[in-house]
């Protein structure tokens, strides 16, 4: 069994690497040629290409897993190796096992990379192309518990707020207004210094003045990590751990979570379709070249992979736009695909 495993694994890994590198380098080259005139300097061009390579690698690897499996199945049939393998009393479940295990390993590897700065490759590439600092956000306005926060600038790299005004509500009216020039992120919270706080005075419902108080230091925005604030404000690509923090914080603050949840579900569930589709394709793969229609087999195998990939991507876009519930998009399709893949696997001899 070990010899069979390593024999099939060798073919699958080789095909996966060739297809992945071919697809990734091709897309990077096309992108680079389109934007070469917008990027100045050799070093910036190299960095731009590297970040685009990371981005497209994460984009194409599910397709590469399927194409590598189809290529391997095709080669095994053409050389009559499947018949030979089965003649040694190996079952179809034993034959598909190396493909399932390697596909699962590749999925887990790329899932782990989504917990690193690998997930921000697109942001880094766009920053180089735009010749701007995308790690700085201007004119932020967001909710914090029973308050609203306006910040002139957020420096994500140095974890620093500049020129912030905090409006605290009491029932349906503004109770206090706190203003400070700077705040630094420390120990899961922001530490503001030299705060000028104005407590509004009311007569019945009408404001009649305010009392001013100076505060040396104040802890605010607990749990609002710099990158989490960026995600809440922009809702762009994210690391999975940052996305989870942003989602939990949004739930706590009663902020719309569909965009963040859709992005997280897309990262976690979408690549799984490749794993299940490999099982389904193998179920319909004949063992003998005698019953093998090459054109039909490649058309349906590659076509189903591209069709499902397009469907899942479209559902993710609809979820991000808030058109459909995030759980009724990709996860539902993946769950149905998983059930059918399990049925196909159980039917294998």
């Amino acid at each position: 069994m070990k010899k069979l495993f390593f024999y099939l694994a060798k073919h699958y890994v080789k095909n996966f690497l060739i297809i992945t590198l071919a697809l990734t380098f091709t897309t990077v080259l096309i992108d680079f040629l389109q934007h070469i005139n917008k990027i100045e300097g050799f070093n910036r061009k190299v960095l731009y290409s590297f970040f685009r390579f990371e981005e497209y690698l994460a984009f194409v690897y599910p397709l590469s897993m399927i194409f590598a499996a189809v290529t391997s199945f095709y080669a095994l049939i053409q050389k009559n190796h499947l018949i030979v393998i089965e003649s040694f009393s190996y079952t179809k479940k034993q034959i598909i096992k190396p493909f399932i295990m390697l596909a699962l390993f590749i999925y887990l590897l790329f899932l782990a990379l989504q917990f690193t700065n690998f997930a921000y490759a697109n942001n880094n590439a766009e920053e180089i192309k735009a010749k701007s600092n995308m790690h700085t956000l201007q004119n932020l306005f967001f909710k914090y518990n029973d308050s609203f926060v306006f910040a002139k600038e957020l420096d994500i790299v140095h974890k620093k707020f500049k020129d912030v005004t905090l409006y605290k509500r009491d029932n349906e009216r503004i109770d206090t207004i706190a203003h400070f020039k700077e705040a630094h992120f420390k120990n899961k919270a922001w530490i503001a210094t030299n705060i000028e706080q104005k407590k509004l005075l009311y007569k019945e419902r009408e404001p009649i003045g305010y009392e001013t108080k100076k505060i040396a230091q104040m802890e605010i925005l607990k749990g609002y990590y710099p990158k989490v604030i960026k995600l809440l404000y922009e809702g762009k690509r994210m690391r999975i751990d940052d996305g989870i923090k942003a989602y939990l914080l949004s739930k706590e603050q009663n902020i719309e979570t569909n965009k963040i949840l859709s992005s997280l579900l897309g990262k976690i569930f979408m690549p799984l379709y490749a794993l299940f589709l490999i099982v389904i394709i193998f179920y319909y793969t004949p063992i003998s070249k005698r019953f093998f229609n090459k054109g039909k087999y490649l058309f349906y195998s590659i076509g189903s992979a591209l069709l499902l990939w397009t469907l899942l991507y479209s559902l993710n876009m609809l979820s991000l736009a808030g058109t459909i519930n995030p759980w009724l998009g990709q996860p539902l399709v993946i769950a149905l695909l998983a059930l059918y893949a399990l049925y196909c696997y159980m039917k294998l001899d």
Side-chain angles (χ1 to χ4, degrees), residues 302-313:
I302 296 173
S304 61
L306 293 172
L307 185 65
L308 265 172
W309 182 84
T310 304
L311 173 64
L312 291 168
Y313 186 78

Side-chain angles (χ1 to χ4, degrees), residues 37-54:
N37 294 326
K38 298 178 183 178
I39 306 166
E40 297 176 357
F42 177 77
N43 291 341
R44 290 172 65 85
K45 288 176 181 176
V46 171
L47 279 173
Y48 177 81
S49 300
F50 174 73
F51 289 132
R52 283 300 186 209
F53 179 84
E54 287 187 325

Side-chain angles (χ1 to χ4, degrees), residues 71-209:
T71 305
S72 300
F73 298 155
Y74 179 83
L76 291 170
I77 296 167
Q78 286 293 94
K79 296 175 183 178
N80 286 321
H81 285 184
L82 279 182
I83 293 178
V84 174
I85 291 169
E86 287 207 352
S87 69
F88 284 97
S89 301
Y90 288 109
T91 65
K92 285 188 175 180
K93 287 182 180 177
Q94 289 174 313
I95 296 171
I96 193 62
K97 186 178 178 181
F99 296 96
I100 295 173
M101 292 182 67
L102 285 168
L104 182 60
F105 173 77
I106 293 168
Y107 164 74
L108 293 175
L109 175 63
F110 276 90
L111 187 66
L113 286 173
Q114 292 296 334
F115 284 87
T116 69
N117 287 332
F118 177 87
Y120 292 120
N122 174 266
N123 292 355
N124 294 330
E126 289 297 323
E127 182 179 339
I128 292 172
K129 188 174 71 175
K131 303 177 186 177
S132 63
N133 182 9
M134 296 179 71
H135 296 297
T136 300
L137 298 177
Q138 307 284 341
N139 300 321
L140 296 163
F141 186 76
F142 55 92
K143 182 177 178 290
Y144 167 62
N145 294 336
D146 57 351
S147 305
F148 290 100
V149 181
F150 174 78
K152 193 71 175 177
E153 184 179 300
L154 169 62
D155 187 334
I156 296 167
V157 174
H158 298 100
K159 300 180 180 180
K160 183 167 66 175
F161 265 127
K162 294 181 181 178
D163 203 4
V164 181
T165 305
L166 192 69
Y167 302 89
K168 187 175 181 181
R169 294 182 303 166
D170 181 15
N171 294 325
E172 297 300 319
R173 64 187 187 185
I174 301 296
D175 182 56
T176 58
I177 301 173
H179 181 79
F180 47 91
K181 292 294 183 183
E182 282 190 359
H184 293 82
F185 187 75
K186 187 178 180 181
N187 297 329
K188 301 182 180 180
W190 292 85
I191 308 300
T193 54
N194 300 320
I195 304 105
E196 182 183 72
Q197 182 174 283
K198 296 177 181 177
K199 182 172 177 59
L200 300 184
L201 304 174
Y202 291 87
K203 185 175 182 180
E204 295 180 352
R205 292 180 175 271
E206 296 296 322
I208 58 173

